[in-house]
Amino acid sequence: MKLSEALQEKKKQILSIWIDRTLNSYTSSDFFKRSQDHIANPVGANIRAGLTTVFELLLQEAAPEDYTTALDQVVRIRAVQDFTPSQAVVPFLELKWVVRQVLADDKKTSSLIQDLAKLECEIERVALAAFDIYTTCREQLHQVRVQELKSGSYILTDTPCVSSLLRERKKGPDNIN
Amino acid sequence: MAIVKVDKLAKSVAQGPSLMTGSYPTMDWMDVPAVFKPGNFAYPAKVDIVNYLNKQQGLHFPNAREWSPLDDDWKLPENWKEIIIDGLRERLDKFRSLKIFMDCCVRCGACADKCHFFLGTGDPKNMPVMRAELLRSIYRNDFTLAGKIFGKMAGAREMTVGVIKEWFMYSYQCTECRRCSVYCPYGIDTAEVTMMLRELLHLVGVGINWILEPVSNSNRTGNHMGLQPHTFKDNVSFLCDDIENLTGVKVEPTFNRKGAEILFITPSADVFAEPGLYTAMGYLLLFHHIGLDYTWSTYASEGGNFGLFTSNEVMKKLNAKMYAEAKRLGVKYIIGGECGHMWRVLHQYMDTMNGPADFLEVPKSPITGTMFDNTASTKMVHISEFTADLIKHGKLNIDKSRNDHVIPTWHDSCNPARAMGLLEEPRYILDHVVNRWHEMPENCIREQTYCCGSGTGLNTDEIMELRMRSGLPRANSVKYVHDKHGVNTLACVCAIDRATLTSLMNYWVPEVRVAGLSELVANSLVMEGEQRQELTDGLRTLL
Amino acid sequence: MKYIFPMAAVIALVLISWIGSKIPGMEYLFGVLVPYAAIATFIIGFCYRVVHWAKSPVPFKIPTTCGQQYSLPWIKHDKLEAPHTTSQVVARMFLEIVLFRSLWRNTKAEIHDGPKLTYESSKWLWLFGILFHYSFLVIVLRHMRLFLDPVPGPILVVEYIDSILQIGAPTLYMTDVTLVLGLLLLFGRRLINRQVRYLSLANDYFPLFLIFGIAATGILMRFFLRTDVDIVSIKRLAVGLVTFQPVILSEISSIFYIHLFLVSVLLAYFPYSKLMHLGGVFLSPTRNMANDTRIRRHINPWNPDIKPHSYAGYEDEFREFMVNNDIPVEKELPSKAD
């Protein structure tokens, strides 16, 4: 059996373990795993869809730029959750472990493990791409902050409002007209 | 070849307690402390602000001090426990809702997966039932027989500083959107619980600046933004200049004018912050179009009411300006602009708190003659009710094609949807001012609508990540219609939405903009004597 | 593991009443005194709790609207989901209490590969709830035959319908099956659904076990230990209890005393527990109030005396700016001295 065939055959199992492990990173992962509802369960559904696509792309040996949408689907969510940068992108590296585990568990495929170098290299590249997306997301988040300030909300805390007036009073009565 | 233990590797990479360690925490929820870190809490209120509020007639904001959620010691007053328990007792005696909601929950879990905070964070304490349990456990301990006898076995626990911290964390991770109360078989409304928690926290000097500073601004200058009368007027005048540049129509609104027929009040964000500005231009154009005899007020220049997010006393104090100003100016009734929580206050609280408005008349549209019987007592009409009536009677000269650059979807804002029932009026208007628009999936619109995730004074930038996660359910459903139908505009009737959904979209679905409904109405209006430029982007066109 | 203690508690209760009723002379305690004490606790506790609730006012009218408000005449008003008159509120409450409307609402949309969007409801909780509550109601009604002589027609009808399947002898009551099924499903849900398990407390499991105990002993009595049970004596005792002339004619089997004791515990426990949702559901302000707050003024009995920051105070502070910017004022600026 060739590696690509084995992966195709084990696709369901690999994905299932991989998605479960990724969703296990949430405190109450049960609902995220259980509900297939895209609208009611955005975290679970998007991560499921994103990881599935990434794996399919790996099987197809897709070009690097093809991964962007699927990676974004997963990373954009994790970039605003309570994760460190490494925690946010580690699921992609975990795929290496999952694939090895699944192949090793079956006598038919255990010998294929030595052929994994290329796939693992590819997975690492995907993880790095995910990290790029992570930083883009964070950058975007700060842009959003800046835009919010620019759009006028900042006046809430920095106009001649009570607090700044009080501040001025402290400076001395001459400053107030 | 040995299998690389990526599992272990990942564990060492990821220090977080949740990652790779399995799903639900094995510890009982009572044993999991709230942990604060930069980004997961809003800044505490400034001492000056709290002191200022404490000095106002009828308000009580004791124990002002410098403190930080990051510190172990929150410098609570010495008798904090007594204050909290007494405060809870007082509130149980004042609110039947609180007693019922404390006693009736059977923990069926119907609400659990309905909260956008839970859906975005996966934190079990964000399940509405758990948020209420945070208070219920204290209630059981001090106010019920079962709790006194069986203690923890009956779900009771001692009030500790840790509980205060937990309350602070989770009562400011709830936007009082009431989605959970729709699904609860007993109608238990977490908004009530959150309000009580916040009131109790204020008693020991624990509050956030993003709420209390707008409150004090609003008290003093009339609006959250702290705009003084001349600035407020100037801002509206700038909008009039823009309107003239765009359409050639000269709009001349009046301010604080006695004898006007109608007083118009809208959130101050509309006259100051993008994209609310375009909504304000919408009102100006619409009222000019029909020749309405109305006035703005600089004294009652805020429709919104952050008192709703603070305490019922503050809510009453801020809201009282509206009737006071209506009476002073001698208007017949009031029209309210597009705002979500403002309309919860106006619809459910205003008349009770500051009525009866016997000096006003039952609202009657001067253009169509329609009597707004549904507001016979409060005498305050929603702009969408008013506009829908105008359209129904054919009083607006509309060219839908002027909105062809927008493909909207409709976001029902929490409060107008679940505390008022304003569902069809905006849809009717939308039907008549744009050629095509698309609904989001059924379980996230109307009474089941998802919150923007930043309501109740959580629209501050220090908790941006939190806002992005709690807004994910909404953003995700917008993305769905964007991908499917090419929707490029999220239309709504809420000022907080306009500000915060814009940020939310910028992160999740940057192709989608946020627009107030009145902006879309005004886009489509054919004005008398107009010398309209080629407005490819409606009121947002840059000339 | 929060269910261990409640389970042990129910087993203990069974043992207490089993062993206790075997002790000569204790029949009177378990057959008469305990039931009276339990009923008294139930009635007093229930009334106390309802009065306790009623003592707090409803300061604000806060219905949760789940449909279109009453507004313009040509806009279709959703009378049941956003009622604005008392009769509409009654109708809404009827749906809520009798049909568990809110749990029924639990719909979900699914997006299948395709992509195809479909709607289906997630109504399991509703189904389990309905199954349990209605079975319980019918069983309570059926038991009324023990207390009333002659047995009223409606109760005979309920009984007839409940045993309409005519399976076995004595004929099987459908509600016995559905009650146990409902209990098992509700319990299973608390165990299997991790979310619900996480938020469940010991006092959520206790009533489930207790009612299960009641159902089990009842079923044993009717179908399996029938020969030990003297129905005539039971009926005499029951009628005696309600007419305040209790007599215990002959030795009644222990299983009966266990059953009766568990029922007593349930009654006594009721007012101090979440089971009070039976009363609370009628009083929930988000459901039992009309969405008419702009039409009729709702009165808050403790409406505090709070005045707004006055216009005069506002104008005093900003008068100069206002005058300079042609905003009308009440009092002009004082004329300058020089």
Side-chain angles (χ1 to χ4, degrees):
Chain A
M1 194 188 283
K2 281 205 298 197
L3 179 62
S4 58
E5 287 165 5
L7 289 175
Q8 196 62 258
E9 194 186 304
K10 303 275 181 197
K11 180 178 160 190
K12 223 175 167 177
Q13 199 186 346
I14 291 172
L15 274 175
S16 141
I17 297 174
W18 189 29
I19 290 167
D20 262 19
R21 290 178 63 86
T22 307
L23 291 180
N24 271 346
S25 57
Y26 295 92
T27 324
S28 21
S29 53
D30 192 46
F31 175 74
F32 288 168
K33 286 186 202 165
R34 187 163 36 90
S35 172
Q36 305 283 319
D37 183 339
H38 191 79
I39 298 299
N41 176 20
V43 173
N46 277 307
I47 288 182
R48 186 176 299 273
L51 295 187
T52 306
T53 314
V54 167
F55 188 69
E56 278 164 358
L57 290 171
L58 282 168
L59 292 185
Q60 295 161 17
E61 297 176 8
E65 57 273 17
D66 296 343
Y67 288 90
T68 314
T69 319
L71 289 176
D72 190 274
Q73 203 173 0
V74 177
V75 175
R76 187 165 293 275
I77 291 175
R78 294 178 72 88
V80 292
Q81 288 171 326
D82 258 339
F83 295 115
T84 62
S86 60
Q87 287 170 332
V89 296
V90 81
F92 300 102
L93 287 170
E94 286 245 298
L95 179 59
K96 296 203 299 191
W97 179 84
V98 175
V99 169
R100 274 177 180 272
Q101 199 76 343
V102 170
L103 293 187
D105 277 353
D106 187 340
K107 269 197 205 123
K108 271 199 305 186
T109 53
S110 54
S111 62
L112 292 169
I113 286 182
Q114 49 206 326
D115 307 338
L116 280 175
K118 185 163 168 265
L119 179 75
E120 292 191 339
C121 188
E122 195 71 353
I123 290 174
E124 276 157 18
R125 201 181 45 69
V126 166
L128 287 173
F131 193 72
D132 286 347
I133 292 177
Y134 176 86
T135 47
T136 315
C137 286
R138 297 299 301 185
E139 177 57 31
Q140 226 175 336
L141 199 63
H142 289 284
Q143 285 302 325
V144 168
R145 275 201 177 90
V146 171
Q147 274 163 17
E148 211 165 71
L149 296 183
K150 274 193 199 160
S151 75
S153 308
Y154 73 96
I155 193 127
L156 274 165
T157 46
D158 264 321
T159 37
C161 55
V162 190
S163 63
S164 58
L165 199 84
L166 287 167
R167 252 178 265 133
E168 282 174 40
R169 283 220 175 104
K170 275 185 202 147
K171 278 182 220 148
D174 300 345
N175 297 350
I176 306 170
N177 44 3
Chain B
M1 187 177 118
I3 289 178
V4 185
K5 290 275 195 301
V6 180
D7 195 20
K8 260 195 192 147
L9 192 79
K11 255 185 207 161
S12 64
V13 172
Q15 296 297 320
S18 57
L19 193 78
M20 312 306 162
T21 54
S23 49
Y24 269 81
T26 44
M27 269 194 288
D28 188 67
W29 64 265
M30 286 186 194
D31 303 327
V32 181
V35 180
F36 292 92
K37 45 190 171 183
N40 76 355
F41 63 88
Y43 299 148
K46 294 173 195 157
V47 176
D48 296 346
I49 302 280
V50 181
N51 280 332
Y52 168 83
L53 288 174
N54 198 33
K55 274 187 246 151
Q56 303 306 307
Q57 182 269 333
L59 302 187
H60 182 55
F61 282 88
N63 301 309
R65 64 186 182 281
E66 297 267 0
W67 66 282
S68 164
L70 293 172
D71 296 341
D72 277 342
D73 180 10
W74 283 17
K75 302 178 192 159
L76 296 170
E78 217 158 275
N79 58 338
W80 64 269
K81 207 164 171 174
E82 198 184 322
I83 297 175
I84 294 282
I85 300 297
D86 289 347
L88 180 54
R89 180 174 299 115
E90 184 194 334
R91 279 159 186 79
L92 286 165
D93 289 340
K94 280 164 104 176
F95 295 92
R96 186 183 300 166
S97 56
L98 184 59
K99 276 185 180 170
I100 303 265
F101 294 165
M102 288 296 104
D103 282 335
C104 281
C105 177
V106 299
R107 285 161 297 281
C108 69
C111 59
D113 53 15
K114 306 302 185 290
C115 173
H116 53 284
F117 273 99
F118 174 70
L119 294 178
T121 61
D123 182 344
K125 284 188 191 169
N126 270 326
M127 296 191 268
V129 45
M130 289 305 296
R131 207 185 311 278
E133 285 293 315
L134 301 181
L135 177 59
R136 220 175 260 137
S137 52
I138 303 303
Y139 165 77
R140 287 197 197 100
N141 195 59
D142 290 79
F143 297 92
T144 70
L145 190 64
K148 281 177 183 153
I149 298 173
F150 295 108
K152 206 174 166 184
M153 195 67 73
R157 64 170 170 174
E158 186 79 12
M159 185 75 208
T160 61
V161 175
V163 174
I164 292 270
K165 293 183 175 177
E166 207 176 34
W167 283 5
F168 179 68
M169 169 137 351
Y170 293 101
S171 66
Y172 289 95
Q173 285 190 23
C174 166
T175 48
E176 300 177 4
C177 79
R178 309 179 97 207
R179 189 168 193 261
C180 48
S181 94
V182 168
Y183 301 92
C184 176
Y186 316 112
I188 295 174
D189 181 2
T190 308
E192 289 292 301
V193 176
T194 298
M195 285 176 190
M196 292 302 135
L197 286 175
R198 291 186 181 185
E199 284 194 13
L200 290 172
L201 289 173
H202 284 304
L203 295 180
V204 292
V206 172
I208 69 169
N209 203 57
W210 191 261
I211 293 179
L212 292 190
E213 187 150 346
V215 162
S216 58
N217 285 346
S218 191
N219 188 60
R220 176 171 164 265
T221 65
N223 56 71
H224 293 154
M225 297 293 187
L227 303 177
Q228 299 185 4
H230 50 295
T231 324
F232 187 83
K233 187 184 171 188
D234 282 350
N235 277 335
V236 177
S237 306
F238 290 144
L239 298 180
C240 296
D241 293 346
D242 283 350
I243 289 174
E244 195 173 355
N245 288 336
L246 290 166
T247 66
V249 176
K250 201 166 170 55
V251 180
E252 287 172 324
T254 58
F255 296 85
N256 301 8
R257 175 164 64 89
K258 287 193 175 179
E261 186 177 355
I262 291 161
L263 171 63
F264 177 67
I265 301 177
T266 196
S268 61
D270 283 354
V271 302
F272 198 87
E274 258 188 273
L277 294 176
Y278 306 110
T279 310
M281 288 161 78
Y283 307 136
L284 289 163
L285 270 168
L286 174 70
F287 295 154
H288 183 83
H289 185 78
I290 57 174
L292 194 69
D293 175 19
Y294 80 107
T295 182
W296 296 72
S297 164
T298 61
Y299 167 66
S301 48
E302 180 60 63
N305 188 332
F306 273 34
L308 178 67
F309 315 146
T310 311
S311 71
N312 66 80
E313 288 89 5
V314 177
M315 188 194 333
K316 172 166 174 157
K317 191 173 182 76
L318 297 183
N319 174 258
K321 280 187 180 177
M322 292 192 185
Y323 278 153
E325 184 68 342
K327 195 170 184 178
R328 186 182 76 85
L329 297 178
V331 298
K332 286 184 182 163
Y333 64 95
I334 313 172
I335 293 181
E338 299 178 8
C339 181
H341 76 281
M342 156 183 171
W343 270 98
R344 170 141 207 228
V345 176
L346 301 180
H347 185 72
Q348 296 198 324
Y349 295 103
M350 181 180 197
D351 209 359
T352 300
M353 289 181 156
N354 292 309
D358 42 19
F359 47 88
L360 298 175
E361 293 172 15
V362 176
K364 178 182 172 188
S365 172
I367 317 300
T368 66
T370 301
M371 299 289 290
F372 292 94
D373 295 324
N374 64 327
T375 181
S377 178
T378 303
K379 286 139 182 152
M380 194 146 178
V381 182
H382 192 286
I383 182 81
S384 292
E385 294 167 344
F386 189 77
T387 310
D389 175 66
L390 290 171
I391 293 175
K392 177 77 178 174
H393 288 84
K395 300 292 181 189
L396 300 185
N397 191 356
I398 290 171
D399 176 1
K400 274 191 195 185
S401 70
R402 292 180 172 190
N403 261 326
D404 279 351
H405 61 288
V406 291
I407 307 171
T409 185
W410 182 250
H411 166 67
D412 290 280
S413 305
C414 316
N415 285 300
R418 287 185 282 259
M420 188 178 173
L422 185 93
L423 304 174
E424 293 301 337
E425 293 88 344
R427 286 180 168 77
Y428 179 84
I429 296 171
L430 213 46
D431 281 341
H432 287 81
V433 300
V434 298
N435 274 318
R436 57 202 164 135
W437 68 280
H438 303 275
E439 289 274 20
M440 285 180 276
E442 196 182 314
N443 58 344
C444 64
I445 55 168
R446 296 176 185 266
E447 76 276 7
Q448 305 194 57
T449 185
Y450 278 125
C451 180
C452 63
S454 309
T456 58
L458 301 184
N459 47 333
T460 172
D461 72 286
E462 65 256 27
I463 47 169
M464 188 60 83
E465 285 90 345
L466 184 65
R467 289 168 50 192
M468 292 302 119
R469 354 188 227 279
S470 62
L472 170 61
R474 174 75 312 166
N476 182 64
S477 48
V478 175
K479 187 167 190 327
Y480 175 75
V481 279
H482 166 71
D483 291 345
K484 191 169 177 200
H485 302 291
V487 161
N488 62 12
T489 302
L490 184 55
C492 61
V493 276
C494 174
I496 291 183
D497 277 339
R498 283 192 282 277
T500 66
L501 284 176
T502 301
S503 299
L504 194 70
M505 289 304 118
N506 282 344
Y507 183 73
W508 293 108
V509 207
E511 302 84 0
V512 174
R513 301 192 302 190
V514 183
L517 184 58
S518 293
E519 177 191 344
L520 299 182
V521 172
N523 272 349
S524 73
L525 285 179
V526 180
M527 304 291 290
E528 201 174 319
E530 67 179 13
Q531 286 175 309
R532 202 175 137 104
Q533 314 267 358
E534 192 56 43
L535 302 185
T536 49
D537 202 10
L539 295 177
R540 300 189 188 201
T541 312
L542 292 172
L543 295 177
Chain C
M1 293 318 224
K2 284 172 188 158
Y3 54 87
I4 297 289
F5 181 80
M7 191 188 270
V10 172
I11 293 173
L13 291 171
V14 170
L15 290 175
I16 288 171
S17 50
W18 187 22
I19 296 167
S21 66
K22 291 269 191 204
I23 301 171
M26 293 295 262
E27 292 96 342
Y28 197 74
L29 175 68
F30 285 98
V32 179
L33 295 182
V34 168
Y36 270 140
I39 289 170
T41 315
F42 174 74
I43 292 173
I44 295 170
F46 197 100
C47 293
Y48 172 79
R49 178 83 6 201
V50 172
V51 170
H52 169 74
W53 285 336
K55 268 200 298 197
S56 295
V58 181
F60 305 115
K61 217 171 199 181
I62 50 164
T64 304
T65 53
C66 300
Q68 170 61 35
Q69 64 166 350
Y70 165 81
S71 66
L72 296 160
W74 46 271
I75 289 180
K76 194 169 178 297
H77 170 215
D78 191 337
K79 296 189 178 76
L80 288 174
E81 302 285 15
H84 90 292
T85 64
T86 310
S87 53
Q88 290 167 8
V89 171
V90 170
R92 185 187 199 192
M93 291 298 287
F94 178 85
L95 287 183
E96 193 63 75
I97 292 166
V98 177
L99 298 176
F100 299 7
R101 172 77 182 95
S102 292
L103 286 180
W104 181 257
R105 220 187 296 277
N106 224 348
T107 57
K108 61 179 184 186
E110 297 248 350
I111 292 171
H112 297 287
D113 296 340
K116 196 174 140 215
L117 182 70
T118 61
Y119 294 100
E120 66 177 279
S121 46
S122 163
K123 294 184 169 48
W124 292 113
L125 179 57
W126 176 86
L127 182 70
F128 301 169
I130 286 274
L131 207 58
F132 168 76
H133 284 87
Y134 277 95
S135 305
F136 200 92
L137 178 67
V138 169
I139 290 171
V140 169
L141 288 177
R142 275 204 279 107
H143 278 68
M144 288 300 128
R145 74 153 22 242
L146 290 172
F147 301 99
L148 304 167
D149 201 13
V151 180
I155 290 177
L156 293 173
V157 173
V158 168
E159 227 176 50
Y160 170 74
I161 296 172
D162 200 4
S163 58
I164 205 159
L165 291 180
Q166 298 285 343
I167 301 172
T171 47
L172 176 79
Y173 286 126
M174 288 184 287
T175 48
D176 287 349
V177 177
T178 48
L179 179 78
V180 172
L181 189 67
L183 279 170
L184 289 176
L185 291 168
L186 287 173
F187 176 62
R189 187 172 167 275
R190 275 201 196 279
L191 278 192
I192 292 161
N193 185 325
R194 304 186 68 168
Q195 243 157 266
V196 185
R197 188 166 81 200
Y198 185 72
L199 53 85
S200 294
L201 299 168
N203 41 353
D204 294 317
Y205 292 108
F206 180 66
L208 285 175
F209 291 135
L210 188 59
I211 296 171
F212 186 80
I214 293 170
T217 48
I219 291 169
L220 279 176
M221 228 188 309
R222 179 173 167 80
F223 298 103
F224 301 100
L225 303 173
R226 195 173 174 76
T227 45
D228 305 344
V229 180
D230 180 355
I231 292 195
V232 181
S233 304
I234 292 176
K235 171 114 189 181
R236 262 313 294 276
L237 176 59
V239 172
L241 282 171
V242 287
T243 53
F244 296 104
Q245 294 159 331
V247 256
I248 300 180
L249 278 182
S250 60
E251 196 177 298
I252 311 172
S253 155
S254 298
I255 189 80
F256 168 73
Y257 286 111
I258 300 174
H259 186 68
L260 186 61
F261 187 67
L262 294 182
V263 172
S264 301
V265 172
L266 180 67
L267 282 172
Y269 173 77
F270 199 101
Y272 305 98
S273 68
K274 67 165 191 174
L275 301 181
M276 276 307 287
H277 66 265
L278 168 68
V281 66
F282 290 91
L283 290 176
S284 179
T286 59
R287 290 291 187 274
N288 74 358
M289 303 188 92
N291 182 37
D292 64 350
T293 28
R294 276 192 291 159
I295 303 173
R296 279 171 281 276
R297 181 167 183 241
H298 176 78
I299 304 293
N300 173 5
W302 49 263
N303 197 10
D305 177 33
I306 297 175
K307 301 272 176 290
H309 176 63
S310 71
Y311 175 79
Y314 170 85
E315 191 183 295
D316 284 348
E317 187 173 359
F318 299 113
R319 185 170 294 112
E320 199 177 330
F321 298 125
M322 293 171 79
V323 171
N324 291 343
N325 285 274
D326 299 323
I327 300 172
V329 286
E330 299 275 343
K331 261 162 63 180
E332 289 303 323
L333 285 172
S335 51
K336 296 214 167 121
D338 49 334

